[in-house]
Amino acid sequence: MRPDILNPLFAELDTLDGVGPKLKKPLDKLGLTRVRDVAYHLPDRFVTRRPVANLDEASVGEQIVIPLTPTEHRANSSGRGPYRVLAADALGNTCALTYFGRASYSAKKLLPVGEQRWIAGRLDEYGQMLQIVHPDHVAESSEGLLATLNEPVYPLAAGLTQPKVAGLVDQALARLPDLPEWIEPGQFSRAEWPTWVEALKLAHKGHHPAARDRLAYDELLANSLALMLVRADNRRRKGQALRGDGRLRDRLALPFPLTGAQQRSIGEIEGDLAQDTPMLRLLQGDVGAGKTVVALEAMLVAIEAGAQAALLAPTEILARQHYETLRKLAAPTGIEIALLTGRDKGRAREAILMGLHDGSIDMIVGTHAIFQDAVTYRNLGLVVIDEQHRFGVSQRLMLAQKGRVTPHTLAMTATPIPRTLTLAQYGEMDVSRLDELPPGRQAIDTVVVSVERMGEVVDRLAAAIAGGAQAYWVCPMVRELESEDIAAAEARFAALRERFGDDVVLVHGQLKPELKDAAMERFASGQAKLLVATTVIEVGVDVPNATLMVIEQAERFGLAQLHQLRGRVGRGSAKSVCVLMRGGELSETGKARLALMRETQDGFRLAEEDLRLRGGGELLGTRQSGDTPFRIAELEQIERLLPLAHDDARLLMERDGGLASERGQAARTMLYLFERDWGVQLLRGG
């Protein structure tokens, strides 16, 4: 149960002044639904302004605060152009205050002719005239405006303004309770960090690295401690030892020999299954590295030992693909495999539920439907979770309730994760890595071209489709934003449809699931030749005939994300090509990242290099859902502070009395503050 002291922070946002139904919508888009969320909505950067008495003291490009007196309002005759207010300083120098669109209406009221106003904004030059476009602030006196000399700039959504967000932040910070210190005293002293309340307030006021580090450390400590609690709880649980006799695995007729990495991983899993402590293991491997075969071997061990096995997939279409693959591979064993998704209804569903209950079904493959309350198992011994990053720890914990005793868990992911982030995301799990590709796997040619060569790329695409191939075209976003020139899937789909007609289908995350599945099925079956998509296809069906992929504005993606997308081609025996189309000139770091994509297909190396190249906040790629489980800690902070936080959590558990101690009670509050309370729930008494 959440400590009462945190209740003010978890109050809904409409308890703050000025938050009504109209404002809640853009706040929701930013994930801001409670007072706590606003308090942790940290600025992206700060605008530093200099007060000047007149324009002669200022430089073009500088952020300033200056007294100006409006002398003339000039509206554009067409009604569509800029609205300019000419204003003079104390020396008679003239500057244009320029507004576009609806903002011109407020300019008429804010800037009456002949009345001095204090203006804050960036001084620019247009032709021979100085101008300030859309002044950030207009005030009747300098008193309030000089407080904006170091002003935070917050992430916004349509319908929000910087002053509005800043006002909400001020209200949220005023509600901060005085919480007990949870950081180990020695670490707190060495780091010379501020208290939690001080750190949050400083982080909103200016560039305070120590405050930012403190807040990031808190989040990392909460995560490390919660994962340790999960691991400790798992070790206390009674599982069932599953020792297979090999009779089913001996009947397998795999079309290829196992790699050394597969054999090693299978051995590690088999050793875990033989213990009565439930296994918690993560299997990492590139797309095509052979995770499914390893999972099949593990599930057959469980079935040989008299238990049932379940494979959980994040989407229905991926569940169906796994079902077909496992059914073919396991056919010689004679085991009973079933598929269960949310689409299954009536007698067919009832028959599957009965088979799981009486044990006549050995292996079930499906979506989250296989863990609904109505689904009971005779003896569930092993759960395999595919694309683990799509499921949180709370979902993993839910699985423990489905067996007579806690089942063993094998999680799989094709997302290459740096070792540091593996500890952050999966610190409660042991890890196996498939770092070899099966023999005969074709290398993928990767080329980088400029967007100016779009016509050549489309011609290459047409030739590939005419030759019987299929292709992907990946865009960074669903639809374009007015403020940014970002390739959008909907616009690209419309353009390519003019050339290729009904051979093109569109998939993105905002489509209804049934429409998305229908488009993917058309592509998987070969009815459609070209799939235009966002990164939703990171986890997708295998299409052996897809031998070409175009990734538009590749510089906007992380290396690990590019690599996982690239892995969707090259699944068959034909030579495959991945075209990375860059939108413009690249920085040195951007060039190095795309050069690495051409140089190697080792996902783990790319993940480590991506973390190194992106460094302290230079995120050249869009942040992925699978990047980190953190909202505050940046990649550089994770790499630097996570080992310290991990040691701090271990000291609390092993030396300082755990959550029952005085510091432990403070840490318990921290877990609820960062919503890692699933770690607390594992302890008796909650």
Side-chain angles (χ1 to χ4, degrees), residues 464-484:
I465 291 175
Q470 292 173 272
Y472 297 91
W473 191 296
V474 184
C475 298
M477 299 188 69
V478 175
R479 56 184 63 90
E480 292 175 356
L481 298 177
E482 292 182 5
S483 58
E484 294 188 71

Side-chain angles (χ1 to χ4, degrees), residues 73-276:
H73 284 240
R74 290 183 180 177
N76 190 279
S77 57
S78 68
R80 296 182 179 180
Y83 185 94
R84 290 188 171 91
V85 180
L86 301 186
D89 66 9
L91 302 179
N93 299 314
T94 299
C95 176
L97 307 177
T98 305
Y99 293 84
F100 294 90
R102 293 180 179 272
S104 61
Y105 298 121
S106 61
K108 298 173 184 177
K109 295 180 180 179
L110 289 172
L111 297 163
V113 172
E115 296 186 21
Q116 186 187 74
R117 293 291 184 264
W118 284 77
I119 310 296
R122 175 189 165 100
L123 184 65
D124 288 308
E125 201 167 24
Y126 181 74
Q128 299 298 312
M129 179 173 283
L130 294 172
Q131 72 169 354
I132 297 176
V133 178
H134 285 281
D136 297 324
H137 300 280
V138 176
E140 293 185 14
S141 70
S142 63
E143 184 177 344
L145 207 54
L146 291 180
T148 70
L149 295 182
N150 193 36
E151 186 176 28
V153 178
Y154 292 100
L156 297 178
L160 289 175
T161 63
Q162 293 293 339
K164 176 60 70 175
V165 173
L168 296 178
V169 168
D170 287 342
Q171 292 186 64
L173 294 179
R175 296 193 183 188
L176 295 181
D178 187 17
L179 300 180
E181 186 56 68
W182 45 71
I183 298 177
E184 196 274 326
Q187 171 61 30
F188 184 77
S189 176
R190 285 190 299 273
E192 298 182 339
W193 284 332
T195 65
W196 172 73
V197 170
E198 291 171 341
L200 260 177
K201 290 181 177 178
L202 287 172
H204 286 281
K205 288 181 179 177
H207 181 63
H208 294 284
R212 286 274 189 156
D213 275 359
R214 158 72 205 243
L215 298 178
Y217 184 87
D218 289 343
E219 188 178 34
L220 295 169
L221 177 60
N223 195 71
S224 295
L225 180 58
L227 293 177
M228 282 186 188
L229 290 170
V230 172
R231 191 177 183 92
D233 175 77
N234 192 68
R235 287 175 173 170
R236 287 195 299 267
R237 288 179 181 271
K238 186 71 175 176
Q240 57 178 320
L242 301 176
R243 298 181 180 88
D245 56 16
R247 71 182 189 281
L248 298 177
R249 286 169 288 164
D250 289 345
R251 297 180 200 167
L252 287 177
L254 299 177
F256 38 76
L258 295 175
T259 65
Q262 286 175 311
Q263 293 173 358
R264 182 182 67 245
S265 298
I266 291 168
E268 291 167 347
I269 294 166
E270 196 170 0
D272 287 352
L273 293 176
Q275 309 302 315
D276 59 9

Side-chain angles (χ1 to χ4, degrees), residues 559 596 604-614:
L559 276 180
L596 267 172
F604 296 111
R605 181 188 169 197
L606 287 169
E608 298 289 348
E609 287 295 315
D610 201 21
L611 183 62
R612 182 183 65 81
L613 287 170
R614 286 197 274 183

Side-chain angles (χ1 to χ4, degrees), residues 308 340 346-359 361 364 369-370 372 374-378:
Q308 294 164 296
L340 181 63
R347 291 185 179 179
R349 184 173 187 273
E350 290 301 318
I352 294 171
L353 296 185
M354 182 61 70
L356 293 172
H357 181 73
D358 65 24
I361 292 177
I364 185 74
I370 65 177
Q372 291 174 344
V375 183
T376 59
Y377 295 80
R378 184 185 64 82

Side-chain angles (χ1 to χ4, degrees), residues 480-539:
E480 292 175 356
L481 298 177
E482 292 182 5
S483 58
E484 294 188 71
D485 180 22
I486 299 178
E490 289 181 339
R492 185 62 58 217
F493 169 70
L496 291 171
R497 195 176 177 87
E498 290 184 10
R499 173 86 179 255
F500 298 102
D502 290 339
D503 278 342
V504 189
V505 291
L506 173 67
V507 169
H508 57 71
Q510 295 179 23
L511 282 178
K512 292 181 179 179
E514 58 269 23
L515 296 177
K516 186 164 58 178
D517 284 351
M520 289 293 287
E521 285 174 3
R522 279 199 68 208
F523 185 62
S525 67
Q527 296 176 54
K529 303 300 183 184
L530 175 60
L531 175 64
V532 178
T534 57
T535 56
V536 70
I537 62 162
E538 279 179 285
V539 179

Side-chain angles (χ1 to χ4, degrees), residues 265 269 272-273 279-284 291-292 294-299 310-312 381-388 399 407-413 429-430 432:
S265 298
I269 294 166
D272 287 352
L273 293 176
M279 173 178 71
L280 273 179
R281 183 169 288 276
L282 175 69
L283 179 64
Q284 289 182 301
K291 296 185 297 297
T292 303
V294 173
L296 173 60
E297 294 262 356
M299 290 189 284
L311 188 149
L312 173 64
L382 171 64
V383 176
V384 178
I385 307 175
D386 190 27
E387 290 307 330
Q388 171 59 47
L399 307 181
H408 298 275
T409 301
L410 175 65
M412 305 193 299
T413 181
M429 309 182 93
D430 297 307
S432 295

